[in-house]
Amino acid sequence: MKTPAAVKSKAPPKTPISTEQRRRRIQDNVTSYAMLAPNLILFLVFSLYPVLWTLKYVFYRYSGFGATAPQFVGLDNIVRVFHDKVYWLAVRNTFVYAAGKLLITLPISFFLAVILNKKRKLNGTLQSAVFTPTIMSSAVMGLVFYLLFNVYNGQINKMLTGAGIVSQNINWLGKENAMKTLIIVAVWGAIGNYMVYFIAGLQQIAEDAMESARIDGANRLQTLWCITLPMMGPVLKTILMLAITAAFSDMNSVMVLTEGGPVNSTMTMALYGYSFFFSVPESAAVTPQYGYGAAVSFISACIAGLVTIVYLKFAAKLDDIY
């Protein structure tokens, strides 16, 4: 005996949209797009167009507007980058700078966030004081630290020699100490920013979990290690990714303090690419080389992107483990 075919259920008929509903929907869409339009225009003009312009000149030899016409050279600029010893020194310097900045900034920022997160007197004032360097101009900040670390009449050397800690002035911006000085300046300028991120993450942790840990007999260090850090996992991943990308793009304080010197010992990828568009005394670019600068910037972006991808892969594996 054959079973009867299943009766297909019919979908309920769609309610027709009235003219008034259609008019309101169009108005909502127009309003939404009108609100997005300024940001979209700014993104296209100041982000997407410069990127496309840079990618175009990767394959050209060009020395700037009003000069000779661009000459197509294919992959010559890319090949030149791979043979450029100064560039790969800049890559090495960038990794040293980024590692030093992250390894010092993030622990200090987290420590300050844990201390200043609770509602106590003066905590708000202290948070503002720590955050203040973040809103300062990097150029002004670099100039201030240049005066502080000056080898002859800088206040740092005066304090150290006056206290008897050192017998002679330290050349803070010399070849041996310049990178350390840049890391100190970078840490001072970034601590407040990441402290705010950490405080935002700490405030998302339910107080019930912390109270349960205290009732079970966990001390502050155990609570921090076993409760706070695991529950801040997603926030920590985001903060670390932002810190990595920011460290690889830092340039202003380096340009103000050392201009990549002495002898390219503090030259970074971002500053080296910039030097071929605008004159930087320590760079190898005497005249603008837009094509080669575009190639340097392109390779630098690829390196930074590769580092970010590796980090995201590593973070995803940690999620699978824990």
Side-chain angles (χ1 to χ4, degrees), residues 177-250:
N177 299 314
M179 183 58 72
K180 301 173 187 176
T181 303
L182 289 177
I183 292 174
I184 292 172
V185 176
V187 169
W188 184 82
I191 284 177
N193 189 32
Y194 298 114
M195 181 198 68
V196 172
Y197 292 153
F198 281 124
I199 289 177
L202 289 171
Q203 291 177 351
Q204 294 178 6
I205 299 176
E207 187 62 29
D208 295 342
M210 310 295 289
E211 187 65 27
S212 299
R214 285 192 287 267
I215 293 174
D216 291 338
N219 56 36
R220 291 184 179 181
L221 184 60
Q222 291 172 332
T223 303
L224 180 66
W225 184 258
C226 299
I227 304 296
T228 304
L229 285 175
M231 295 189 72
M232 284 188 64
V235 177
L236 284 172
K237 288 194 303 182
T238 303
I239 292 173
L240 188 54
M241 186 181 69
L242 292 174
I244 290 173
T245 54
F248 273 83
S249 61
D250 278 354

Side-chain angles (χ1 to χ4, degrees), residues 12-271:
K14 295 182 179 180
T15 304
I17 300 175
S18 65
T19 304
E20 180 64 21
Q21 289 177 329
R22 186 179 290 105
R23 185 180 64 82
R24 288 181 179 179
R25 182 176 297 179
I26 293 174
Q27 286 181 346
D28 291 341
N29 290 337
V30 171
T31 302
S32 300
Y33 286 120
M35 296 177 67
L36 291 173
N39 288 334
L40 181 60
I41 293 172
L42 292 174
F43 170 77
L44 294 175
V45 174
F46 295 104
S47 294
L48 185 59
Y49 173 74
V51 169
L52 296 177
W53 186 91
T54 302
L55 289 177
K56 171 187 174 182
Y57 283 102
V58 167
F59 306 101
Y60 287 85
R61 181 182 294 114
Y62 186 44
S63 59
F65 298 103
T68 58
Q71 299 177 358
F72 181 78
V73 293
L75 297 176
D76 287 356
N77 288 325
I78 300 293
V79 173
R80 179 183 168 188
V81 173
F82 283 100
H83 290 86
D84 190 340
K85 294 182 179 180
V86 177
Y87 174 72
W88 294 107
L89 175 61
V91 173
R92 173 185 171 277
N93 292 337
T94 302
F95 275 88
V96 171
Y97 173 82
K101 178 182 177 181
L102 297 181
L103 291 176
I104 299 174
T105 302
L106 295 182
I108 295 177
S109 299
F110 182 72
F111 177 73
L112 290 175
V114 172
I115 294 177
L116 300 179
N117 181 43
K118 296 181 180 180
K119 295 180 179 180
R120 295 175 180 172
K121 290 183 178 180
L122 298 180
N123 269 12
T125 304
L126 292 175
Q127 288 179 15
S128 301
V130 176
F131 184 74
T132 299
T134 304
I135 62 178
M136 289 180 61
S137 168
S138 56
V140 174
M141 186 172 63
L143 182 59
V144 170
F145 274 95
Y146 178 81
L147 297 175
L148 288 175
F149 285 107
N150 190 281
V151 63
Y152 297 111
N153 55 2
Q155 293 300 316
I156 302 296
N157 278 332
K158 287 183 179 180
M159 292 172 58
L160 293 177
T161 54
I165 299 175
V166 296
S167 58
Q168 58 183 0
N169 290 347
I170 299 174
N171 188 3
W172 293 101
L173 300 177
K175 185 176 181 180
E176 295 181 357
N177 299 314
M179 183 58 72
K180 301 173 187 176
T181 303
L182 289 177
I183 292 174
I184 292 172
V185 176
V187 169
W188 184 82
I191 284 177
N193 189 32
Y194 298 114
M195 181 198 68
V196 172
Y197 292 153
F198 281 124
I199 289 177
L202 289 171
Q203 291 177 351
Q204 294 178 6
I205 299 176
E207 187 62 29
D208 295 342
M210 310 295 289
E211 187 65 27
S212 299
R214 285 192 287 267
I215 293 174
D216 291 338
N219 56 36
R220 291 184 179 181
L221 184 60
Q222 291 172 332
T223 303
L224 180 66
W225 184 258
C226 299
I227 304 296
T228 304
L229 285 175
M231 295 189 72
M232 284 188 64
V235 177
L236 284 172
K237 288 194 303 182
T238 303
I239 292 173
L240 188 54
M241 186 181 69
L242 292 174
I244 290 173
T245 54
F248 273 83
S249 61
D250 278 354
M251 184 187 72
N252 292 337
S253 59
V254 181
M255 184 166 55
V256 173
L257 281 170
T258 65
E259 295 181 335
V263 198
N264 296 313
S265 59
T266 59
M267 182 66 70
T268 61
M269 294 190 301
L271 182 58

Side-chain angles (χ1 to χ4, degrees), residues 80 84 86-87 259 264 267 271-272 275-276 278-289 292:
R80 179 183 168 188
D84 190 340
V86 177
Y87 174 72
E259 295 181 335
N264 296 313
M267 182 66 70
L271 182 58
Y272 193 63
S275 69
F276 288 96
F278 305 96
S279 177
V280 176
E282 282 289 338
S283 72
V286 179
T287 58
Q289 302 178 38
Y292 187 62

